Amino acid sequence: MERLTSPPRLMIVSDLDHTMVDHHDPENLSLLRFNSLWEHAYRHDSFLVFSTGRSPTLYKELRKEKPLLTPDITIMSVGTEITYGNSMVPDHGWVDTLNNKWDLGIVKEEACKFSELKLQAETEQRPHKVSFYVDKSKAQEVTKELSQRFEKRGLDVKIIYSGGMDLDILPQGAGKGQALAYLLKKLKTEGKLPVNTLACGDSGNDAELFSIPDVYGVMVSNAQEELLKWHAENAKDNPKVIHAKERCAGGIIEAIGHFKLGPNLSPRDVSDFLECKTENVNPGHEVVKFFLFYERWRRGEVDNCEAYTASLKASCHPSGVFVHPSGAEKSLRDTIDELRKYYGDKQGKKFRVWADQVLATDTTPGTWIVKLDKWEQSGEERKCCTTTVKFTSKEGEGLVWEHVQQTWSKESEVKDDSTWII
Ligand code: GLC
Ligand code: MG
């Protein structure tokens, strides 16, 4: 959170499964659209928060399966675990508040008496979250009886039903909503209360997110019955909460537009970058666009090939250098020329490229350093290079690519120099 010295322009707090991530879209198109929009227009001055029901173990698994960006803050296990930054530093202060009228042993002991409840995997049982599966038809009745039992034993717990199958038992003070309220309070004391906050969700455990004051909310089009029911009963007249027309991350982009929270045109929705050239003098934008171009190039989806390569070459300094992750140095312009032979080599194949954590710094006037993680998925293989680009700009002229350097990221599953182009 130290990254920003002033209040973030937008804080997106999003659920993952069936909200940010569409498990029915093997191409991950809406997620990739969101990613490009975020890195292009928001990363530098906004906060991305993931708030998931998953435990740290299952969250990390999802990160390997899907092209998820790196969030600034990660809230896991239904608002019972909050961590910060890339290294996921835990918020111990939050955990301490959750012990009030909570006893893991008693919760398990009482819940195990219900034959309708089937314990979830061991990874999903956390210090402040006990989780079961229960049939839709039994959920309400079991919840009611469980609450009574816990009350009798002096506990103050919260029971949440999600996705028409998951039943979570948490301390009363926990949950995604309470975690968000805690976070907002903390940010406020640090002078970093976001200008706008948008909560995004699809199921029962997200409902609380939509009752935090001053927070915009979007229930994605594919929201679950239990969330829509909660909304109809509790928040129908709140104009700050919408039910989107679009699925998953598409619904998040839709809400950004609906509530006028900032730009909502993803670079992935722009087919011809040459057309929108003049308005862009932001070096971060250049990089996001370049790698999108690179994906389209290899997928054989660029119409105006000659014009594109010519314009790219023209924006590279004549003596600009590209340092490949192997350590080999090449001229930037030669690298662009070389790209020609790869045109369409990934046509009809699973091939996607996305940029994560794009951050530009301007240390000296007229010079920018852009750092990012460039990810590439080819078939089932995922590779990532930490990339540094140096740009210069003379007054009245466009940005000039001076130097590009890549090194294998420690997150890269494969580090194969021979199949990496740029
Ligand atoms: C995730 C968790 C699970 C929880 C569910 C609903 O799927 O893995 O334990 O019950 O979210 O909150
Ligand atoms: Mg969900």
Side-chain angles (χ1 to χ4, degrees):
M1 294 201 297
E2 289 73 41
R3 189 168 64 75
L4 300 187
T5 47
S6 51
R9 178 161 60 114
L10 177 64
M11 179 161 88
I12 285 197
V13 182
S14 180
D15 167 53
L16 295 177
D17 295 289
H18 309 287
T19 302
M20 191 56 89
V21 173
D22 190 344
H23 289 286
H24 296 286
D25 174 17
E27 287 278 334
N28 301 308
L29 281 180
S30 62
L31 177 56
L32 290 165
R33 277 177 67 220
F34 175 85
N35 290 358
S36 309
L37 173 63
W38 189 260
E39 295 301 332
H40 190 258
Y42 294 98
R43 174 65 81 176
H44 64 287
D45 65 359
S46 297
F47 276 157
L48 182 61
V49 181
F50 288 161
S51 185
T52 177
R54 291 183 179 233
S55 62
T57 308
L58 286 195
Y59 167 62
K60 283 169 195 159
E61 268 179 30
L62 187 65
R63 294 192 63 80
K64 288 197 181 125
E65 286 161 24
K66 295 284 175 181
L68 284 170
L69 295 180
T70 306
D72 297 280
I73 301 161
T74 317
I75 304 175
M76 291 159 294
S77 310
V78 200
T80 62
E81 301 180 63
I82 303 178
T83 68
Y84 303 97
N86 292 2
S87 41
M88 298 180 69
V89 180
D91 188 325
H92 297 294
W94 174 239
V95 174
D96 291 343
T97 68
L98 301 181
N99 288 323
N100 183 36
K101 292 192 175 175
W102 173 255
D103 186 311
L104 193 61
I106 299 180
V107 170
K108 284 187 175 163
E109 185 194 313
E110 287 296 336
C112 288
K113 292 179 189 161
F114 287 75
S115 60
E116 300 91 333
L117 293 175
K118 190 173 167 282
L119 201 64
Q120 288 184 12
E122 197 50 46
T123 59
E124 300 317 279
Q125 313 304 334
R126 306 295 297 160
H128 297 96
K129 168 179 171 285
V130 183
S131 295
F132 297 89
Y133 295 118
V134 65
D135 200 78
K136 239 184 200 172
S137 60
K138 305 272 170 57
Q140 262 189 338
E141 193 191 315
V142 171
T143 304
K144 212 173 129 201
E145 273 187 48
L146 264 175
S147 306
Q148 288 165 356
R149 298 257 188 117
F150 291 136
E151 211 185 306
K152 273 198 197 129
R153 305 235 13 207
L155 302 188
D156 196 8
V157 304
K158 185 184 264 181
I159 302 173
I160 305 178
Y161 192 57
S162 302
M165 59 191 248
D166 298 315
L167 186 128
D168 301 315
I169 308 172
L170 323 168
Q172 189 58 249
K176 290 188 178 188
Q178 307 276 51
L180 173 56
Y182 170 86
L183 187 62
L184 286 170
K185 199 168 144 206
K186 184 166 174 144
L187 288 170
K188 193 172 176 188
T189 58
E190 291 173 8
K192 290 182 195 167
L193 186 69
V195 179
N196 287 306
T197 300
L198 172 66
C200 321
D202 77 297
S203 84
N205 67 10
D206 301 313
E208 297 187 342
L209 289 172
F210 304 121
S211 45
I212 304 303
D214 302 322
V215 168
Y216 291 99
V218 54
M219 304 182 291
V220 291
S221 68
N222 49 295
Q224 291 282 336
E225 201 180 299
E226 77 262 349
L227 179 62
L228 297 175
K229 186 163 170 267
W230 173 89
H231 177 254
E233 287 165 5
N234 301 283
K236 210 168 80 202
D237 300 319
N238 181 356
K240 283 193 143 184
V241 177
I242 59 163
H243 183 195
K245 291 188 187 66
E246 293 200 44
R247 290 180 59 80
C248 301
I252 303 177
I253 300 175
E254 182 186 331
I256 294 176
H258 178 90
F259 295 121
K260 301 192 168 48
L261 303 177
N264 66 334
L265 179 66
S266 168
R268 281 193 180 264
D269 298 330
V270 176
S271 58
D272 191 350
F273 295 142
L274 287 175
E275 273 178 13
C276 60
K277 204 160 186 227
T278 43
E279 45 175 304
N280 280 320
V281 278
N282 179 316
H285 292 187
E286 283 310 300
V287 176
V288 172
K289 279 195 314 184
F290 171 73
F291 285 116
L292 201 47
F293 159 79
Y294 171 80
E295 176 193 292
R296 289 175 179 173
W297 183 264
R298 297 197 62 190
R299 291 174 62 91
E301 291 170 353
V302 180
D303 293 332
N304 208 348
C305 302
E306 283 308 315
Y308 264 107
T309 36
S311 120
L312 263 177
K313 256 178 99 171
S315 60
C316 292
H317 192 276
S319 54
V321 169
F322 166 48
V323 186
H324 188 269
S326 62
E329 290 192 16
K330 273 193 270 186
S331 134
L332 261 177
R333 289 193 166 178
D334 290 351
T335 308
I336 303 293
D337 276 335
E338 234 179 89
L339 266 184
R340 286 171 198 272
K341 68 171 187 258
Y342 296 104
Y343 185 80
D345 73 332
K346 298 287 183 189
Q347 200 160 31
K349 299 198 178 120
K350 188 169 173 185
F351 181 78
R352 293 290 174 191
V353 172
W354 65 99
D356 185 23
Q357 303 196 84
V358 179
L359 290 170
T361 45
D362 52 343
T363 31
T364 38
T367 305
W368 284 269
I369 303 290
V370 181
K371 268 198 101 161
L372 68 139
D373 277 335
K374 185 246 165 172
W375 284 90
E376 186 171 304
Q377 169 136 18
S378 189
E380 294 316 308
E381 188 182 276
R382 271 167 66 153
K383 289 178 280 190
C384 176
C385 271
T386 299
T387 305
T388 311
V389 186
K390 180 181 167 196
F391 286 102
T392 54
S393 154
K394 289 205 190 81
E395 205 152 328
E397 287 170 40
L399 289 160
V400 179
W401 294 66
E402 295 270 343
H403 192 87
V404 179
Q405 177 147 20
Q406 293 187 313
T407 51
W408 290 110
S409 156
K410 61 177 191 307
E411 284 195 69
S412 194
E413 289 156 18
V414 180
K415 296 175 183 171
D416 178 9
D417 290 333
S418 67
T419 55
W420 185 268
I421 300 167
I422 189 165

